């Protein structure tokens, strides 16, 4: 029979063991080797049974064992050292404090909002790369001392656990997660009652949420939980599953994350004395409603809506992670309107103004849809993609928000993702590098994070003998083989197989064979089954008599994505074939725990998405940190940092995007040829010492060259210096009066802009016959513009010049400001002049434009206003020099 109520009975730790509780409740243990080893020493068998989760371990350890440990002096010495180390880590100055002390004017705190966080497998609140990235962001911020406050939701069923049916169809299970059994503590009011946030739903109903805290090193992570007794059944289920439910369910989740999240941050800061965030970082559009709540806060102090909007924009950073419009949450405008305004949330804010922030009111948009990414961009003065290529794709995708500007000028920059090395580097690899560098494993990657520490020594890997490198790679491959067999056996038992049927699993994979890994979510564009395009050829690769290959595959399809499930089934059925099942396996239930064994154990990491639809692809970064070589389409981060010294680029048929079948055929053939002709021969080619010398050198180059680039601490430093610090400065510059003045100026400028024009352009230069000019010569430009009621100091007149394409489009454009030379004339026109140096050869052209100008604009494109020459404009406008 079932229990009618569930609760957790916690053991009472003897006084000498009390520090174990603090160590277990701070998730730094998930990336700190000595702390994990300490917990393993508490009960090695229990540690394994608890899947390396200290909270579960302490909840199951016997009173007898605890009494033994309380009298074990060597153990107590280790415990004391670990507790002292954590205290030093939490209280000492780090990189951020050093930069702040040097006058960098950094924000006092940053609110970091994300729909999912993958910090550790012990806190399963993630579905894939977005959540793992968010978790690594928090960890790196903690290591650097960046005063982040993470904000997310606590999903009582997490994402889902994946298994397979007998015929290979994905099945989902949703285990109930008890927060009391997770590394969480409730945030409480001063009187001891649970702290809550409240949202108003249509009909004046209430949605309440409790606030749980996770401690990610120095960084607090606040997680909102709607499963509280005060809610009705429907409201209690709002935070039931990650990415589950219909449109209204998702909308409520995102309202709770954004609006409730800001209220949770305010509550946390009030109760703990933590500084209030000056900058809010919206990690993908799901949290975009946080900007509306901050506008409501400011309008409540008497500030007008437009002024509040300017203040909020100045202090907001928005990161987009999707390169495809289908990956963005969109809601019907009527659904959004029903939840806002006087009868819903944010009373006092005009619902039409709220809607205007997210509606796709631009060419090619669907104005009946409320777009969360569009709102995120309109509410943030600073925005970025997550790789250089993804930044370019994002500028193209959202160019409609800035009409009149070329995509290159759309104000979306990029900060390439990174991964947290202490989390993802195998202990054997860390020990290898630490020994060569002469420092501890934890200090190997984090030395520069401490202002008193030595810089990291990634170059130390270059000094390690070939035999040591190869021995570690073989150990990791052997460990992966054992892990795969164990997981495969468990999977087949769930598929209904009997133990007597599974003897063949003992021969699955071989620790001496080239091992390729492929693991990620399974949307169609990631092309899980591209490797199956020519099955006979794949079998030949797997069963090659001299250079065989083995492949480990994992991945989850969204529960509502039958197309993705069919791809998994197709792969599983191929892998079930007795002819090849010892060389290719599919492992269900891909997650952090599996990934931490998979990345180090593979020799090659495969990534073959449709280019350019992979925003970043951080799994390849984690593999690289373990000396695994990348074999990937030039997409995401690999497009940016690929070199033949440490991997391979799969050629793409970009020009055939419309014919997906033909494109897949060409790219699959390119993949087979690379493995057959270059990858496998390099792995099996042995030098005079019996080692694959050239392969080992590629491993070294991967660690030495890529290692420092793919780190999350590099990524977080970029966010601090390029986005957080400028956002804090912009926010501080906008007090109530300044924000009001800026809002009024923008409104006035928009109203007067239709009267701004480029009326005449003249160019004087010594030109050769045929309209050509010599390199190094100068054009003297003279431009007459109409400004209407605007003043010259409210605009900037520019010449934009560069090489031109066959259709006369300017590429690699350079903007040159022109200066007022007189005016206004009798017709109210102003004259601007300036030189234009001809510094490039070949077809060359220029045009002239007028832009709004104000000291508080982050970019000249911010308002989306530009005046360009018309066909009637005088000679020289858009002149081409060939």
């Amino acid at each position: 029979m079932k229990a009618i109520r569930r609760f957790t009975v916690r053991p009472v730790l003897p006084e000498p063991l009390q520090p174990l509780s603090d160590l277990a409740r701070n998730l730094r243990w998930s990336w700190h080797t000595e702390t994990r080893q300490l917990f393993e020493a508490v009960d090695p068998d229990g540690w394994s049974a608890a899947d390396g989760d200290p909270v579960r371990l302490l909840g199951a350890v016997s009173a007898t064992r605890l009494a033994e440990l309380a009298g074990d002096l060597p153990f107590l010495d280790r415990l004391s050292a670990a507790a002292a180390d954590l205290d030093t880590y939490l209280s000492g100055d780090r990189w951020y404090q050093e930069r702040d002390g040097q006058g960098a004017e950094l924000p006092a705190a940053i609110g970091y909002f994300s729909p999912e966080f993958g910090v550790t497998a012990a806190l399963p609140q993630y579905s894939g790369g977005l959540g793992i990235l968010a978790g690594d962001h928090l960890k790196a911020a903690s290591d650097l001392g960046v005063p982040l406050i993470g904000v997310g939701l606590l999903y009582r069923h997490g994402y889902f656990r994946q298994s397979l049916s007998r015929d290979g169809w994905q099945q989902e299970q949703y285990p109930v997660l008890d927060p009391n059994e997770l590394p969480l503590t409730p945030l409480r009011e001063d009187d001891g009652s649970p702290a809550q946030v409240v949202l108003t739903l249509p009909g004046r109903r209430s949605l309440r949420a409790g606030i749980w805290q996770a401690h990610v090193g120095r960084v607090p992570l606040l997680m909102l939980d709607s499963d509280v007794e005060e809610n009705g059944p429907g409201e209690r289920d709002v935070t039931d599953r990650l990415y589950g439910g219909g449109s209204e369910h998702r909308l409520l989740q995102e309202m709770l994350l954004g609006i409730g999240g800001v209220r949770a941050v305010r509550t946390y800061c009030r109760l703990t004395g933590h500084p209030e965030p000056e900058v809010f970082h919206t990690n993908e559009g799901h949290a975009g409603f946080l900007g509306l709540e901050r506008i409501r806060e400011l309008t409540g102090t008497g500030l007008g809506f437009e002024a509040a909007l300017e203040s909020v924009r100045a202090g907001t950073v928005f990161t987009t992670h999707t390169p495809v419009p289908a990956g963005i949450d969109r809601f019907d405008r009527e659904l959004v309107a029903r939840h806002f305004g006087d009868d819903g949330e944010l009373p006092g804010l005009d619902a039409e103004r709220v809607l205007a922030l997210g509606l796709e009111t631009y060419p090619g948009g669907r104005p009946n849809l409320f777009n969360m990414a569009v709102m995120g961009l309109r509410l943030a003065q600073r925005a970025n993609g997550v790789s250089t290529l993804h930044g370019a794709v994002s500028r193209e995708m959202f160019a409609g928000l800035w009409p009149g500007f070329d995509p290159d000028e759309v104000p979306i920059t990029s900060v390439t993702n990174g991964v947290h090395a202490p989390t993802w580097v195998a202990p054997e690899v860390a020990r290898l590098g630490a020994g060569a560098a002469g420092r501890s494993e934890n200090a190997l990657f984090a030395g520069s994070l401490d202002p008193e520490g030595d810089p990291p020594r990634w170059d130390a890997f270059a000094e390690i003998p070939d035999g040591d490198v190869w021995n570690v790679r073989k150990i990791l491959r052997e460990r992966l083989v054992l892990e795969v067999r164990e997981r495969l056996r468990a999977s087949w038992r769930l598929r209904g197989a009997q133990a007597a049927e599974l003897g063949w699993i003992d021969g699955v994979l071989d620790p001496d064979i080239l091992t390729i890994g492929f693991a990620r979510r399974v949307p169609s564009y990631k092309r899980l089954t591209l490797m199956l395009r020519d099955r006979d050829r794949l079998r030949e690769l797997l069963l090659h008599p001299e250079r065989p290959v083995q492949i480990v595959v994992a991945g989850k399809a969204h529960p509502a994505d039958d197309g993705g499930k069919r791809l998994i089934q197709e792969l599983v059925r191929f892998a079930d074939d007795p002819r090849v099942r010892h060389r290719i396996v599919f492992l269900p239930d891909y997650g952090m725990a599996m990934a931490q064994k998979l990345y180090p154990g593979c020799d090659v990491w495969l990534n073959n998405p449709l280019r350019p639809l992979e925003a970043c692809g951080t799994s390849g970064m984690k593999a690289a940190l373990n000396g695994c070589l990348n074999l990937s389409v030039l997409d995401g981060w690999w497009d940016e940092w690929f070199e033949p010294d440490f991997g391979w680029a799969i050629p793409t048929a970009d020009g055939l995007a419309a014919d997906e079948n033909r494109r897949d055929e060409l790219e699959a053939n390119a993949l087979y040829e690379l493995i057959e002709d270059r990858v496998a021969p390099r792995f099996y080619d042995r030098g005079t010492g019996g080692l694959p010398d050239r392969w080992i050198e590629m491993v070294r180059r991967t660690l030495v060259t890529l290692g420092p680039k793919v780190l999350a601490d590099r990524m977080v430093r970029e966010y601090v210096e390029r986005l957080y610090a400028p956002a804090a400065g912009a926010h501080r510059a906008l007090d109530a009066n300044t924000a009001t003045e800026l809002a009024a100026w923008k409104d006035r400028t928009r109203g007067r802009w239709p009267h701004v024009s480029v009326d005449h352009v003249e160019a004087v230069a010594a030109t050769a016959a045929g309209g050509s000019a010599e390199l190094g010569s100068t054009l003297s430009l003279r431009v007459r513009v109409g400004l209407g009621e605007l003043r010259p100091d409210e605009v900037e007149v520019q010449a934009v010049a560069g090489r031109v394409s066959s259709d006369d489009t300017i590429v690699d454009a350079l903007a040159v400001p022109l200066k007022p030379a007189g005016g206004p004339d009798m017709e109210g026109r102003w004259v601007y002049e300036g030189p234009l140096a001809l510094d490039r050869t070949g077809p060359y052209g220029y045009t002239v434009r007028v832009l709004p100008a104000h000291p508080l604009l982050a970019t000249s494109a911010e308002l989306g206003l530009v005046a360009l020459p018309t066909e009637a404009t005088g000679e020289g406008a858009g002149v081409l020099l060939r």
Side-chain angles (χ1 to χ4, degrees), residues 86-259:
L86 177 62
D87 184 65
T88 299
Y89 175 84
L90 296 178
S91 59
D93 283 350
R94 313 294 283 179
W95 171 82
Y96 192 87
Q97 287 70 38
E98 181 185 37
R99 292 279 291 117
D100 197 37
Q102 294 171 348
E105 298 187 1
L106 303 176
I110 302 106
Y112 181 85
F113 288 59
S114 179
E116 51 177 301
F117 285 92
V119 180
T120 167
L123 189 61
Q125 299 291 305
Y126 61 91
S127 71
L130 175 66
I132 302 301
L133 180 278
D136 282 5
H137 195 110
L138 297 194
K139 294 173 190 176
S142 173
D143 290 340
L144 290 163
V146 180
L148 236 61
I149 302 174
V151 183
L153 300 180
L154 180 67
Y155 305 96
R156 287 299 184 103
H157 298 282
Y159 189 41
F160 67 89
R161 301 296 302 271
Q162 178 197 45
S163 61
L164 300 173
S165 69
R166 186 74 189 213
D167 66 351
W169 188 257
Q170 173 179 292
Q171 298 178 317
E172 300 92 25
Q173 300 82 38
Y174 292 89
V176 177
L177 302 175
D178 181 353
N180 294 293
E181 296 174 354
L182 299 174
L184 301 171
T185 55
L187 182 66
R188 297 190 179 277
E189 297 286 352
D190 293 332
D191 62 3
S193 62
Q196 290 188 347
V197 298
V198 184
L199 271 67
T200 302
L201 303 182
R204 312 310 296 168
R205 294 177 295 124
S206 293
L207 169 61
R208 295 178 176 271
I211 306 169
W212 295 89
Q213 304 174 78
H215 301 283
V216 186
R218 300 163 68 112
V219 173
L221 171 57
L222 309 179
M223 310 184 81
L224 302 182
D225 175 17
S226 69
D227 190 10
V228 297
E229 292 184 0
E230 295 89 340
N231 281 334
E235 287 73 39
R236 292 187 76 153
D237 287 342
V238 166
T239 56
D240 58 351
R241 299 176 182 179
L242 177 59
Y243 303 141
S247 290
E248 184 162 19
H249 189 81
R250 291 286 293 275
L251 178 65
L252 289 176
Q253 285 189 340
E254 297 184 7
M255 289 175 63
L256 183 58
L257 174 60
I259 298 169

Side-chain angles (χ1 to χ4, degrees), residues 171-425:
Q171 298 178 317
E172 300 92 25
Q173 300 82 38
Y174 292 89
V176 177
L177 302 175
D178 181 353
N180 294 293
E181 296 174 354
L182 299 174
L184 301 171
T185 55
L187 182 66
R188 297 190 179 277
E189 297 286 352
D190 293 332
D191 62 3
S193 62
Q196 290 188 347
V197 298
V198 184
L199 271 67
T200 302
L201 303 182
R204 312 310 296 168
R205 294 177 295 124
S206 293
L207 169 61
R208 295 178 176 271
I211 306 169
W212 295 89
Q213 304 174 78
H215 301 283
V216 186
R218 300 163 68 112
V219 173
L221 171 57
L222 309 179
M223 310 184 81
L224 302 182
D225 175 17
S226 69
D227 190 10
V228 297
E229 292 184 0
E230 295 89 340
N231 281 334
E235 287 73 39
R236 292 187 76 153
D237 287 342
V238 166
T239 56
D240 58 351
R241 299 176 182 179
L242 177 59
Y243 303 141
S247 290
E248 184 162 19
H249 189 81
R250 291 286 293 275
L251 178 65
L252 289 176
Q253 285 189 340
E254 297 184 7
M255 289 175 63
L256 183 58
L257 174 60
I259 298 169
V262 172
R263 294 173 186 174
V265 167
R266 304 303 186 203
T267 301
Y268 174 80
C269 293
R270 170 175 58 81
L271 293 172
T272 65
H274 193 289
E276 294 275 358
E278 294 182 272
V279 173
F280 287 77
H281 185 170
T282 307
N283 191 41
E284 196 46 271
H286 309 81
F289 288 123
L290 71 86
L292 296 180
E293 169 64 6
R294 293 168 58 217
I295 290 173
R296 183 201 63 81
E297 291 177 330
L298 291 172
T299 57
T301 67
L303 203 61
F305 181 93
E306 297 299 335
L309 172 61
E310 293 304 327
S311 180
V312 166
R313 288 188 71 255
T316 301
V317 174
F318 173 71
T319 298
T320 175
H321 289 263
T322 179
V324 289
I328 299 169
D329 274 347
R330 290 175 165 91
F331 300 104
D332 185 83
R333 65 169 290 157
E334 282 71 27
L335 175 64
V336 177
R338 187 161 57 85
H339 280 81
F340 287 95
D342 292 336
D343 189 46
E345 191 47 69
L346 307 182
L349 292 188
D350 184 349
E352 289 302 315
R353 281 184 161 176
V354 170
L355 288 170
L357 291 169
L359 294 179
E360 298 180 3
T361 51
Y362 49 80
R366 298 172 62 186
N368 63 319
L369 292 182
F370 188 92
N371 184 312
M372 295 298 290
V374 166
M375 178 177 65
L377 290 165
R378 286 174 173 158
L379 286 172
Q381 195 175 58
R382 288 163 180 81
N384 69 283
V386 292
S387 68
T388 299
L389 179 59
H390 179 236
V393 170
S394 298
R395 288 188 288 274
E396 290 273 2
M397 188 162 69
F398 295 110
L401 292 171
W402 291 271
F405 290 87
D406 291 340
D408 286 348
E409 296 182 292
V410 167
I412 300 175
T413 185
S414 62
V415 175
T416 302
N417 283 344
V419 297
H420 187 245
T423 295
W424 298 108
V425 174

Side-chain angles (χ1 to χ4, degrees), residues 515-517 520 599 602-608 616-635 637-639 641-650 671 674 678-679 695 698-699 702-703 706-707 710:
T515 305
I516 298 176
R520 49 192 37 87
Y599 300 137
C602 291
D603 300 296
V604 173
W605 196 255
L606 174 61
N607 187 33
N608 47 230
C616 185
T618 54
S619 63
M621 294 179 168
K622 297 160 196 157
L625 285 178
N626 289 282
C628 178
L629 309 183
N630 275 269
L631 169 62
S632 175
V633 164
L634 287 176
D635 203 358
W637 74 275
W638 193 236
D639 179 76
W641 288 329
F642 160 72
E643 291 181 21
D645 288 347
F646 44 68
W648 298 271
I650 302 171
L671 171 62
L674 273 172
R678 297 175 60 187
V679 180
W695 186 277
M698 291 182 75
V699 171
T702 292
L703 292 168
L706 276 182
V710 301

Side-chain angles (χ1 to χ4, degrees), residues 512-514 546-549 679-686 692:
D512 293 320
I513 287 180
L514 171 63
E546 298 173 355
R547 297 191 298 272
V549 169
V679 180
R682 179 68 58 93
F683 180 86
Y684 288 106
D685 181 21
R686 298 301 193 257

